[in-house]
C-alpha cells in the first residue's frame, strides 16, 4: 500500500484557493475602478453636450430640413411614376429645392 500525502495535497489546494481568491479580489477592484472611470466620463460627456446646447434652434432647423427636402424629391418621383406634369412643382423643385 502506497501512502498518499493528504497534508501536501491539502496545502496545495489551500494555496490554489488563496491564489484564486486574491485574483478575484484584484479583478473586482479593477472592475470597480473601471466602472467609476466610465461613470465619470459619461458625466463629463453629459456636461459637454449641455454646454454645447445641442438641441438649440439651429439643430432643430437642420433636422427639419433633413426631412422636408427629401419629401419634395419623393413627391417628384411619385409624380413622374403617375405621369403627371405639374409645372409649378417642377419650377419650385428646379429653382428652389435643387439649388440648396
Amino acid at each position: 500500500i502506497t501512502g498518499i500525502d493528504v497534508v501536501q495535497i491539502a496545502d496545495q489546494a489551500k494555496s490554489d484557493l488563496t491564489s484564486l481568491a486574491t485574483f478575484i479580489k484584484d479583478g473586482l477592484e479593477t472592475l470597480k475602478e473601471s466602472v467609476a472611470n466610465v461613470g465619470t466620463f459619461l458625466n463629463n460627456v453629459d456636461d459637454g453636450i449641455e454646454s454645447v446646447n445641442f438641441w438649440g434652434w439651429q439643430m432643430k432647423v437642420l433636422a427639419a430640413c433633413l426631412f422636408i427636402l427629401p419629401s419634395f424629391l419623393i413627391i417628384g418621383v411619385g409624380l413622374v411614376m403617375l405621369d403627371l406634369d405639374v409645372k409649378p412643382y417642377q419650377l419650385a423643385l428646379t429653382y428652389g429645392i435643387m439649388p440648396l
Side-chain angles (χ1 to χ4, degrees):
I1 298 177
T2 59
I4 298 175
D5 191 6
V6 177
V7 175
Q8 182 184 3
I9 294 172
D11 288 341
Q12 182 64 37
K14 181 181 175 184
S15 173
D16 291 344
L17 288 174
T18 303
S19 297
L20 180 62
T22 304
F23 173 75
I24 291 172
K25 180 183 173 192
D26 293 343
L28 288 176
E29 289 176 6
T30 303
L31 178 65
K32 189 186 297 183
E33 291 173 8
S34 298
V35 168
N37 288 338
V38 168
T40 302
F41 174 76
L42 290 176
N43 288 336
N44 291 341
V45 168
D46 286 339
D47 293 341
I49 288 174
E50 287 178 15
S51 69
V52 171
N53 192 13
F54 188 71
W55 279 108
W57 67 270
Q58 298 92 343
M59 286 302 294
K60 290 177 184 175
V61 168
L62 179 64
C65 288
L66 290 175
F67 287 102
I68 293 171
L69 291 176
S71 68
F72 277 105
L73 299 175
I74 291 170
I75 292 170
V77 169
L79 291 174
V80 169
M81 289 175 62
L82 296 173
D83 200 22
L84 296 175
D85 189 21
V86 182
K87 285 289 183 195
Y89 178 79
Q90 287 180 353
L91 290 174
L93 194 63
T94 303
Y95 296 111
I97 302 299
M98 292 306 286
L100 293 177

